[in-house]
């Protein structure tokens, strides 16, 4: 195969290779003989200002079979706490092609996922199945249009090579676009596998790249911790808003720039229950819907521990400074959570006692197994089909209270509804629809997936013609299971 660089597809300006070599391994992605462009995100291509080439060339580039100009492919080293246990990890099946600069001067990592073995693959094959990459594409794009910070998906390229799991699957490579792939686990790696200078270098690099405004702060490491805590709180509050369960909130999957990523066993909750878990390996509900805030706090404590030597040379002093930050977590989280949840019921100037309205509503929803998304839509749209009669009756006293509270604002129900419309998606990627779309696409019928992708671009609009996407078989989710790195 001709490995001469192609024209400039990406506008690469790579900074990660300037870190000490222990932070990555340089290597080329695996070459596949017959790559096929399966899904292409044309809107994102335009947004990023990626230069056009033929589909055949794009398939070769985005499968890793041909390197674009100025690519410096590498896999990143990182460690992490997985289900609470610390371990060395790294990109076992991902290769960063480079950092692309948009016409507006924004920097994005362009990463291939499923592009072959790396020095961090351990026992794995470095590959990904078409089905799991389609799932990541679909859900990450849905999250983007829901307004939740996320990695994005530029393309899925079929490799036309078999990937062996429990069955034989079609292989694929996903192109993931993200502000950066630096994670809590990158700091844990620097702290526990490197020297203090390495930790310092990574911290400086991260602050320069993501939080330059804190560069001259008195204690940059502490500022970094505080900034990451705040943007991660914003992120997880947003997950709670749309009913998203990440499923594998290990520290290596917690991004420093506050974006959702690593779409493995994630799923959306239908009936409201904070204990909801779909992941086949999460036996104790560590990453259940309602546990996500506490797990975030735990992950941030791990970031704090990793940063200790930079926070203060005296360890006790460092610990007390870090604890002071982490101790603010609960009050910041609660304030942001209730503010967002109240916006879901149309209240934008909350009073202290309003949080009760949220808690009461959630309790009734849980008791009657009401659909999380549809409940909020039904509060806004008169006559919205609600077939849960138990819930319909049980909520009446709450509704009376809520309407009374809204009338006190003096701004009318229409004002409340406009706030509710912005904060309550009508459409989410429901598990049964996601699976149907992926199964069909895997068999070569792409229309279900394309329709779903298109409708999920406007999740806040109620359109009668997509009514069938608002409901699924209630039994489907009862036994639904999701899987990690398939
Ligand atoms: P994840 O559960 O996706 O966060 O992955 C955890 C770790 O397993 C990371 O280090 C991944 O790179 C690695 N990994 C996942 N799948 C594979 C695979 N098929 N081959 C090699 N490494 C993998
Ligand atoms: Mg991961």
């Amino acid at each position: 195969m001709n490995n001469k660089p192609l024209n400039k597809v990406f506008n690469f300006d790579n900074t990660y290779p300037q870190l000490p070599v222990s932070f990555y391994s340089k290597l080329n992605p695996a070459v596949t003989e017959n790559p096929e462009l399966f899904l292409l995100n044309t809107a994102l291509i335009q947004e990023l200002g990626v230069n056009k080439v033929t589909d055949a060339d794009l398939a070769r580039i985005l499968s890793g079979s041909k390197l674009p100009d100025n690519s410096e492919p590498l896999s990143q080293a990182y460690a992490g706490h997985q289900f609470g246990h610390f371990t060395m990890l790294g990109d076992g099946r991902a290769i960063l092609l480079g950092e692309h600069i948009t016409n507006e001067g924004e920097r994005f990592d362009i990463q291939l996922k499923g592009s072959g073995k790396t020095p961090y693959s351990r026992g794995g094959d470095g590959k990904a199945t078409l089905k799991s990459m389609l799932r990541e594409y679909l859900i990450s794009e849905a999250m983007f249009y829901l307004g939740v910070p996320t990695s994005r998906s530029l393309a899925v390229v079929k490799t036309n090579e078999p990937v062996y799991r429990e069955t034989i699957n079609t292989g694929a490579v996903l192109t993931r676009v993200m502000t950066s792939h630096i994670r809590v686990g990158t700091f844990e790696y620097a702290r526990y596998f490197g020297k203090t200078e390495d930790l310092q270098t990574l911290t400086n690099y991260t602050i320069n790249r993501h939080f330059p405004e804190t560069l001259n702060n008195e204690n940059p490491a502490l500022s970094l911790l505080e900034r990451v805590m705040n943007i991660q709180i914003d992120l997880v509050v947003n997950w709670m808003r749309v009913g998203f369960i990440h499923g594998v909130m290990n520290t290596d999957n917690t991004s420093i720039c506050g974006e959702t990523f690593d779409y493995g066993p994630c799923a959306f909750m239908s009936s409201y229950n904070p204990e909801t878990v779909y992941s086949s390996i999460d036996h104790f509900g560590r990453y259940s819907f309602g546990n996500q805030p506490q797990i975030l706090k735990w992950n941030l404590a791990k970031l704090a521990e990793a940063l200790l030597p930079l926070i203060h040379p005296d360890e006790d002093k460092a610990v007390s400074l870090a604890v002071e930050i982490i101790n603010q977590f609960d009050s910041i989280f609660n304030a942001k959570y209730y503010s967002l949840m109240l916006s879901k019921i149309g209240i934008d100037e909350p009073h202290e006692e309003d949080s009760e309205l949220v808690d009461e509503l959630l309790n009734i929803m849980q008791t009657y197994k009401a659909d999380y998304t549809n409940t909020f839509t039904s509060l806004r749209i008169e006559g919205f089909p609600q077939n849960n009669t138990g819930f319909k009756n049980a909520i009446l006293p709450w509704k009376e209270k809520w309407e009374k509270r809204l009338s006190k604002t003096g701004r009318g129900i229409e004002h409340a509804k406009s706030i509710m419309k912005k904060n309550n998606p009508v459409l989410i990627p429901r598990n049964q629809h996601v699976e149907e779309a992926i199964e069909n696409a895997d068999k070569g019928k792409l229309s279900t997936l394309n329709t779903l992708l298109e409708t999920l671009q406007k999740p806040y609009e109620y359109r009668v013609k997509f009514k069938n996407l608002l409901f699924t078989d209630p039994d489907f989710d009862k036994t639904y299971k999701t899987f990690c790195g398939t």
Side-chain angles (χ1 to χ4, degrees):
M1 189 166 283
N2 176 11
N3 255 328
K4 226 170 67 192
L6 288 168
N7 294 332
K8 253 182 139 182
V9 175
F10 295 106
N11 180 23
F12 281 146
D13 167 57
N14 307 320
T15 59
Y16 212 78
Q18 292 159 17
L19 284 174
V21 290
S22 56
F23 280 99
Y24 54 83
S25 296
K26 288 193 174 181
L27 81 166
N28 284 350
V31 170
T32 58
E33 290 305 324
N34 197 12
E36 194 183 316
L37 199 56
F38 197 75
L39 270 185
L40 181 66
N41 193 335
T42 45
L44 186 57
I45 289 263
Q46 278 191 359
E47 227 174 277
L48 292 173
V50 171
N51 290 322
K52 290 203 176 78
V53 289
T54 63
D55 279 3
D57 279 340
L58 208 50
R60 285 197 286 162
I61 291 168
L62 300 184
S63 63
S65 306
K66 185 140 196 159
L67 289 180
D69 263 6
N70 299 331
S71 171
E72 293 173 83
L74 59 87
S75 286
Q76 295 177 330
Y78 53 84
H81 279 83
Q82 298 195 301
F83 286 89
H85 303 287
F86 186 65
T87 181
M88 176 60 200
L89 295 159
D91 287 333
R93 56 164 172 175
I95 290 184
L96 179 68
L97 281 184
E99 295 156 41
H100 171 76
I101 311 291
T102 65
N103 296 332
E104 289 74 39
E106 281 183 291
R107 177 181 300 273
F108 289 101
D109 276 4
I110 307 292
Q111 193 205 57
L112 301 183
K113 186 168 173 182
S115 53
K117 278 191 188 170
T118 78
Y120 314 106
S121 294
R122 297 172 290 167
D125 60 4
K127 293 183 178 169
T129 64
L130 177 63
K131 283 202 228 177
S132 65
M133 294 304 99
L134 292 177
R135 196 165 190 280
E136 167 151 353
Y137 186 109
L138 177 59
I139 301 188
S140 62
E141 284 304 298
M143 289 286 270
F144 171 75
Y145 288 104
L146 282 165
V148 182
T150 177
S151 67
R152 295 199 63 190
S153 299
L154 189 70
V156 174
V157 178
K158 235 166 98 169
T159 60
N160 287 313
E161 285 170 2
V163 173
Y164 300 96
R165 296 292 180 258
E166 269 154 25
T167 53
I168 302 176
N169 286 267
T170 311
V173 177
L174 175 105
T175 306
R176 180 156 70 179
V177 180
M178 196 167 168
T179 301
S180 92
H181 285 81
I182 304 169
R183 39 194 108 212
V184 169
T186 318
F187 284 84
E188 292 179 290
Y189 171 75
R191 167 78 199 269
Y192 304 113
F193 291 92
K195 302 190 197 83
T196 305
E197 298 102 86
D198 297 325
L199 183 63
Q200 183 72 67
T201 308
L202 176 68
T203 303
N204 293 348
Y205 174 83
T206 304
I207 291 175
N208 269 305
R209 184 164 169 183
H210 295 305
F211 311 108
E213 67 282 3
T214 65
L215 211 52
N216 297 318
N217 286 9
E218 194 189 326
N219 191 328
L222 208 56
S223 299
L224 175 68
L225 176 63
E226 198 173 13
R227 292 283 285 129
V228 176
M229 178 168 85
N230 275 285
I231 54 176
Q232 274 288 341
I233 287 177
D234 289 337
L235 180 67
V236 173
V237 163
N238 252 303
W239 292 356
M240 309 306 274
R241 176 175 69 85
V242 298
F244 177 77
I245 306 167
H246 183 280
V248 63
M249 284 176 74
N250 295 329
T251 54
D252 52 299
N253 295 336
T254 304
S255 95
I256 292 296
C257 56
E259 290 173 0
T260 315
F261 84 123
D262 219 312
Y263 288 90
C266 64
F268 279 75
M269 175 176 64
S270 46
S271 298
Y272 176 73
N273 182 349
E275 288 172 15
T276 306
V277 165
Y278 294 111
S279 167
S280 57
I281 56 167
D282 190 1
H283 305 297
F284 302 105
R286 180 179 169 92
Y287 300 136
S288 66
F289 179 73
N291 226 19
Q292 299 186 118
Q294 281 315 303
I295 288 295
L296 172 60
K297 186 179 177 184
W298 194 90
N299 289 349
L300 291 164
K302 295 295 143 195
L303 176 62
E305 278 171 39
L307 287 170
L308 284 180
L310 306 185
I311 290 175
H312 202 280
D314 177 288
E315 199 181 322
D316 290 342
K317 182 76 188 145
V319 169
S320 80
L321 287 167
V323 165
E324 219 176 282
I325 300 285
I326 300 293
N327 278 349
Q328 295 166 24
F329 180 95
D330 291 342
S331 63
I332 298 175
F333 192 94
N334 278 334
K336 288 190 174 177
Y337 172 76
Y338 280 109
S339 161
L340 231 145
M341 291 306 287
L342 283 164
S343 68
K344 282 174 79 68
I345 54 171
I347 297 171
D348 60 350
E349 286 167 2
H351 305 156
E352 178 97 31
E353 65 280 9
D354 286 337
S355 56
E356 274 175 32
L357 265 178
V358 172
D359 296 343
E360 278 174 30
L361 175 62
L362 291 176
N363 274 336
I364 306 168
M365 282 165 72
Q366 186 174 354
T367 306
Y368 289 89
K369 300 185 168 47
D371 186 274
Y372 188 65
T373 303
N374 289 344
T375 295
F376 292 101
T377 309
S378 71
L379 290 175
R380 181 171 67 85
I381 296 175
E382 208 83 33
F384 181 79
Q386 266 279 33
N387 40 18
N388 187 335
T389 40
F391 176 69
K392 239 158 104 179
N393 295 328
I395 200 175
L396 290 175
W398 180 89
K399 249 180 142 172
E400 235 174 75
K401 239 195 262 182
W402 171 59
E403 280 162 355
K404 217 159 141 193
R405 168 66 181 85
L406 287 184
S407 69
K408 276 195 208 147
T409 63
R411 302 180 74 178
I413 187 82
E414 287 316 310
H415 174 70
K417 286 191 174 176
S418 72
I419 301 168
M420 291 165 78
K421 186 168 189 242
K422 279 189 231 146
N423 288 288
N424 297 308
V426 177
L427 280 171
I428 52 163
R430 292 183 180 271
N431 302 323
Q432 193 177 5
H433 298 141
V434 168
E435 294 309 319
E436 266 169 25
I438 292 168
E439 282 298 329
N440 286 343
D442 191 52
K443 291 185 190 120
K445 188 182 161 228
L446 262 156
S447 58
T448 330
L449 179 65
N450 282 331
T451 307
L452 196 55
L453 277 166
E454 196 189 318
T455 51
L456 288 169
Q457 288 185 2
K458 289 182 180 159
Y460 294 93
E461 265 179 38
Y462 180 54
R463 289 166 289 171
V464 177
K465 69 173 176 167
F466 298 128
K467 226 174 185 169
N468 63 327
L469 292 178
L470 307 179
F471 304 95
T472 47
D473 175 357
D475 287 336
F476 184 88
D477 281 8
K478 284 187 193 154
T479 53
Y480 183 57
K481 286 271 167 283
T482 55
F483 302 90
C484 271
T486 43

